[in-house]
Amino acid sequence: MARIRYGARDEAEIAAARAAGSRLPDIWSTGVVAVWETDPDVVAAVLPPPLKPTGRPLVRANISKVDLPGYPLGAGSVAVAAEHGGVAGWYPLVMPMTHERALIGGREVFGEPKKLGEVEVERDGLVVRARLARHGIAFVEVRGAVSGGLPLPEPTRKTDFYFKFLPAVDGSGFDADPVLVHCVRNEKVRKLEAVTGDVVLRESMYDPVADLPVRSLVEITIGEKTTDQQGRVVERVSAQSLLPYIHQRYDDPAQILDGPPEGSA
C-alpha cells in the first residue's frame, strides 16, 4: 500500500526530525533595529501582569531579512522594555513573519505573538529603508542613511517575555491557566553600522503601534547577526489578569471571546 502521508510517523522518522533540528548551522540575518523612548504610562498600560516597566520607557522595532536555506524570510517585531523577577528584557506586541513555517513554530511552541505580514529591508549604497506592514498599512517604517561603522559587541544574551495559552472551547477564557515564558537568545554580531534617520509610525486598527509615539530617538542600526533561542516556563499566571490583554494577539478578538449562542448545547 502506498504511504499514507497523514498516517503516524514511526520512531525512527521522529528521531531523525529531532536530530536535523538540533544540527542547524548559524543562520545570519541582515536587520535594522530602531530604539526610542515613549511615554512611561503607555508602556505600563500594555504590560500584562506580572510583567513590570523598567526604569526607561523604551520601544524597539526589529526588521530583518533572514537567509534561510531554500527560501528567504522576513521577520520583525515591535517590543517594549519590561522586567520580571529581576530579569530585564522585552515584551513583543507584534511579530510579523512572511512565512507560515516561522509563524507556527513561534506561536505554538513559545507563545510568540507572530502574525503573517510583509517585512522589507532595503539598502541602496548608504540609504536604508525598512518596513513592517499588514493589511496594506506600513505601520512601522525606518528610513535613513548609514553614518559609519560601530564596534562589534561581544556575544550577548537577551530575554523576551511571552504568554502561552489556549483560548477556551466555549469562549469563556482559557482551557488552562496561561504560562509566562522566558525566551533567552544568544546573539552574535559580525557587522554593525549606525544609521542617521527617523521612525515613522502609521495608524492601523490591527497593529496600533502608533500609540507608542517616538518622544526621543535612541538609536538606529543596521547589522548582520545570528541567534539561537531556548525557552522555559517560569510560572503560571492568572487567567483573569491576562484576559484583558488577549486582544493584543488577534486581529479580531471576538473570534475567541464570543461564547456559544444562548440556548446551544
Side-chain angles (χ1 to χ4, degrees), residues 5 19 22 24 57-58 62 86 95 109 116 127 129 138 141 173 175 213 216 220 222 231 245:
R5 287 169 289 178
S22 67
L24 287 176
L58 296 178
N62 194 329
M95 301 178 70
V109 177
L116 286 174
V127 177
R129 177 176 174 267
E141 184 173 350
D175 277 334
S216 176
I220 302 174
I222 184 169
Y245 299 88

Side-chain angles (χ1 to χ4, degrees), residues 160-185:
D160 280 352
F161 305 116
Y162 306 124
F163 291 94
K164 185 177 180 180
F165 55 81
L166 284 175
V169 173
D170 62 4
S172 62
F174 305 105
D175 277 334
D177 284 340
V179 296
L180 174 60
V181 174
H182 284 199
C183 184
V184 177
R185 289 183 169 83

